[in-house]
Amino acid sequence: MSQRVKIKALLQSQQTDIDVTVKGWVRAFRSNRFIALNDGSTNNNIQIVVDFENTDPALLKRITVGAALSVGGKLVASQGKGQTVEVIATDIEILGDSDPEKYPIQPKKHSLEFLRENAHLRFRTSTFGAIFRVRNSLAFAVHQFFQERGFVYLHTPVITASDAEGAGETFHVTNFDLDNIPKTDTGEIDFKQDFFGRPTNLTVSGQLEGELGAMALSDIYTFGPTFRAENSNTTRHLAEFWMIEPEVAFSDLNDNMDLAEDMLKYVIRYTLDKNADDIEFLTQRLAEEEKQKPQNERSEMTLLKKLQFCLTHDFERLTYTEAIEILKESTPNKKKKFQYPIEGWGTDLQSEHERYLVEKHFKKPVILTDYPKEIKAFYMRQNDDGKTVAAMDILFPGIGEIVGGSQREERLSNLEQRMDEMGIPKDELWWYLDTRRFGACPHAGFGLGFERLVLFVTGMGNIRDVIPFPRFPKNAEF
Ligand code: ATP
Ligand code: MN
């Protein structure tokens, strides 16, 4: 048997009248003659032409939607329209049957909710094939971007004893018998008897450890899973998501913004180029979906235009203080249309505010800087005004916050003072503080939520549809 050729390669083949072997899953079978076969290398199917008069009827009956086939035959120029080449089958082998009465994925449009419940099979649809190929390209491009710039990929721990943000939204890690948890004499949980001899949790961010690496390797990035037990049932939050966190020595807030903007543009450009067909497919999908909405809610740009727009325009950079002024004076605020009215300087921005700035006011990605220190993490560098910190959030249309970053506080006394004010235990973070004791230097970094990026590039509306098996409150199926 000749070697299996991927359908994507076959469809691009310059050569015809050659013997080929192709393997994949049946997407459709019509007139007992034409099989649409797909192997996930592209959304385009290869047409297999079956000589039904000379094929065992029992075999024909087993060519059903979802079945896995191996087909040997000749690749020829196609007579029909819709494809340039097709395979005239000489040999069909059923590798795996699929009972058409029971197979959930029918050749029709299924709702995204239905497919989420069938996440084990949704890869076999065109939409999810496109999404996961785009996700793959984005991940690869992230690595390529940093590797080209000499960054070191650092693996930070998944199990940690620290809660980076002090937000307390962590999943505990324990191997206690939950029916019989050891207690101390005073009735508290005796973590000394637990696996690590102390309370531990799944990481919410690799940043603190990333900073340790940057203080020797200069430029590092992490790309790994993070976990947050936040009970937020939104279309932008997952309990398990992937985060990219570069950390750069000898770098300030401006360098940090440049790096983030360059990176976002690089990975989007890479994917537009590499996955042109998939982006085209997803653009069509979104256009169809938008047609269901009332005219005034439809977006002005197609997905493809939105992505291209992002590449050709500088992100708008302004301070939190300037943003608050814009929001205060905005029509929705004056007409009391915001669910959370802008109270004035110091209020945390909600997603509706971020999206107003991006989608209505500037109509492009926005970077907000210099937030009030009260609403940001302890490690952000304090500005001279005594009120703000050198933070930056990147806001994207349809998403809101996609990146959160800052220049870090490298001055030991400032950092300790802020930790005291915010009740962050200094003794537990002795190792973090050591970097400020031995060779501290200005440095900066950010966290990019990978699924938010995939959400933006695919034009999907729910973050649960851009990770293979989403974890969210009350759901850990598969
Ligand atoms: P948000 O306000 O949207 O909850 P955050 O301020 O908690 O975000 P950070 O702690 O700055 O976010 O995390 C860095 C990035 O990780 C965010 O910019 C976002 O892209 C992503 N992110 C944060 N929480 C989640 C989540 N639960 N699911 C998916 N991505 C997330
Ligand atoms: Mn959050």
Side-chain angles (χ1 to χ4, degrees):
M1 197 194 283
S2 55
Q3 233 201 321
R4 172 171 72 105
V5 185
K6 292 251 184 162
I7 289 170
K8 184 177 183 178
L10 273 189
L11 292 172
Q12 291 167 352
S13 174
Q14 302 298 326
Q15 261 183 309
T16 48
D17 296 316
I18 47 171
D19 288 330
V20 294
T21 299
V22 52
K23 300 183 188 189
W25 293 267
V26 176
R27 283 283 172 93
F29 185 34
R30 63 185 171 85
S31 315
N32 249 356
R33 192 168 169 82
F34 301 108
I35 306 171
L37 199 69
N38 190 281
D39 66 359
S41 57
T42 162
N43 265 348
N44 300 316
N45 306 319
I46 185 107
Q47 174 155 289
I48 311 288
V49 184
V50 184
D51 178 5
F52 65 94
E53 281 157 339
N54 296 306
T55 304
D56 176 5
L59 181 85
L60 285 177
K61 268 184 89 172
R62 293 172 65 199
I63 303 175
T64 55
V65 174
L69 304 190
S70 174
V71 177
K74 217 170 221 35
L75 185 71
V76 300
S78 175
Q79 308 297 313
K81 32 179 214 273
Q83 65 272 329
T84 53
V85 291
E86 60 192 17
V87 174
I88 307 292
T90 48
D91 172 40
I92 297 176
E93 187 189 343
I94 311 280
L95 300 175
D97 288 286
S98 173
D99 183 343
E101 301 294 318
K102 298 202 179 113
Y103 184 55
I105 311 293
Q106 294 300 318
K108 64 158 199 171
K109 205 169 157 53
H110 290 290
S111 75
L112 293 170
E113 291 74 20
F114 172 84
L115 292 171
R116 218 172 284 144
E117 285 159 16
N118 289 281
H120 59 309
L121 297 172
R122 66 178 177 172
F123 299 108
R124 299 188 188 189
T125 65
S126 298
T127 298
F128 286 92
I131 291 169
F132 291 116
R133 282 188 299 271
V134 165
R135 183 181 166 110
N136 169 66
S137 287
L138 287 168
F140 182 80
V142 164
H143 284 294
Q144 185 162 288
F145 172 84
F146 286 117
Q147 295 295 328
E148 278 176 1
R149 280 161 187 73
F151 281 63
V152 174
Y153 178 29
L154 197 70
H155 295 96
T156 50
V158 169
I159 299 173
T160 98
S162 76
D163 169 1
E165 308 274 334
E169 291 168 334
T170 59
F171 289 100
H172 302 299
V173 173
T174 179
N175 72 341
F176 276 152
D177 171 0
L178 295 185
D179 289 326
N180 189 15
I181 296 173
K183 297 279 171 65
T184 61
D185 295 343
T186 50
E188 274 129 28
I189 296 172
D190 187 8
F191 283 107
K192 287 210 171 61
Q193 294 189 48
D194 203 352
F195 190 90
F196 294 106
R198 59 194 297 181
T200 47
N201 53 268
L202 294 178
T203 186
V204 294
S205 156
Q207 180 201 319
L208 299 190
E209 290 93 350
E211 283 189 51
L212 311 181
M215 289 302 102
L217 300 162
S218 296
D219 307 79
I220 67 96
Y221 69 106
T222 72
F223 189 168
T226 43
F227 307 86
R228 295 189 186 180
E230 47 193 354
N231 205 352
S232 41
N233 251 308
T234 77
T235 53
R236 295 167 303 107
H237 289 89
L238 291 163
E240 175 181 290
F241 64 100
W242 289 68
M243 189 137 73
I244 296 138
E245 294 179 280
E247 194 67 38
V248 184
F250 318 114
S251 167
D252 65 14
L253 191 67
N254 272 314
D255 301 325
N256 200 32
M257 289 191 276
D258 290 344
L259 181 71
E261 186 169 340
D262 285 352
M263 184 203 62
L264 287 166
K265 287 179 170 167
Y266 181 101
V267 302
I268 293 171
R269 190 174 294 116
Y270 177 91
T271 306
L272 272 179
D273 185 42
K274 179 86 198 226
N275 296 72
D277 286 356
D278 289 324
I279 299 288
E280 176 59 34
F281 176 86
L282 291 165
T283 298
Q284 297 287 346
R285 191 208 71 87
L286 185 61
E288 289 294 318
E289 194 181 271
E290 292 263 307
K291 276 193 209 149
Q292 316 297 317
K293 293 186 188 166
Q295 190 81 41
N296 63 341
E297 281 175 31
R298 292 182 201 167
S299 80
E300 292 162 30
M301 278 187 244
T302 67
L303 174 62
L304 183 61
K305 286 239 175 65
K306 216 161 62 180
L307 297 174
Q308 283 162 343
F309 183 88
C310 212
L311 298 182
T312 47
H313 290 76
D314 289 339
F315 297 0
E316 187 74 33
R317 300 182 186 191
L318 70 156
T319 65
Y320 164 90
T321 305
E322 290 164 331
I324 285 288
E325 285 310 310
I326 293 170
L327 288 167
K328 252 200 288 194
E329 297 304 315
S330 71
T331 318
N333 196 49
K334 287 183 165 164
K335 287 195 172 161
K336 307 219 179 321
K337 287 276 166 64
F338 284 140
Q339 195 187 340
Y340 299 88
I342 296 292
E343 307 278 2
W345 199 89
T347 47
D348 205 353
L349 298 183
Q350 301 294 329
S351 175
E352 57 177 344
H353 308 133
E354 297 175 344
R355 292 184 61 174
Y356 173 82
L357 290 170
V358 174
E359 290 160 32
K360 298 283 186 287
H361 190 83
F362 291 109
K363 296 183 192 286
K364 58 173 158 163
V366 168
I367 312 184
L368 290 189
T369 63
D370 304 293
Y371 282 74
K373 63 179 183 199
E374 282 75 21
I375 58 173
K376 286 291 180 187
F378 73 92
Y379 48 71
M380 298 192 179
R381 195 175 198 278
Q382 296 155 39
N383 288 329
D384 291 340
D385 62 12
K387 297 194 304 189
T388 59
V389 288
M392 65 108 177
D393 279 6
I394 304 187
L395 315 178
F396 261 34
I399 311 280
E401 180 184 333
I402 192 166
V403 164
S406 66
Q407 184 171 340
R408 317 305 189 191
E409 182 56 81
E410 83 283 12
R411 298 162 297 187
L412 182 63
S413 61
N414 290 50
L415 184 60
E416 287 188 321
Q417 175 219 331
R418 195 72 194 127
M419 289 172 84
D420 288 340
E421 283 169 9
M422 296 179 72
I424 309 280
K426 287 188 305 215
D427 50 338
E428 271 179 36
L429 290 176
W430 62 273
W431 44 272
Y432 184 70
L433 289 166
D434 259 7
T435 56
R436 274 64 172 172
R437 293 189 180 105
F438 309 116
C441 71
H443 62 290
F446 62 82
L448 164 69
F450 186 56
E451 284 74 20
R452 298 227 180 139
L453 173 66
V454 184
L455 203 53
F456 179 71
V457 176
T458 57
M460 297 301 290
N462 192 325
I463 199 162
R464 297 172 187 177
D465 293 332
V466 299
I467 188 166
F469 301 105
R471 269 78 182 98
F472 51 91
K474 303 280 175 284
N475 193 294
E477 192 67 44
F478 310 109

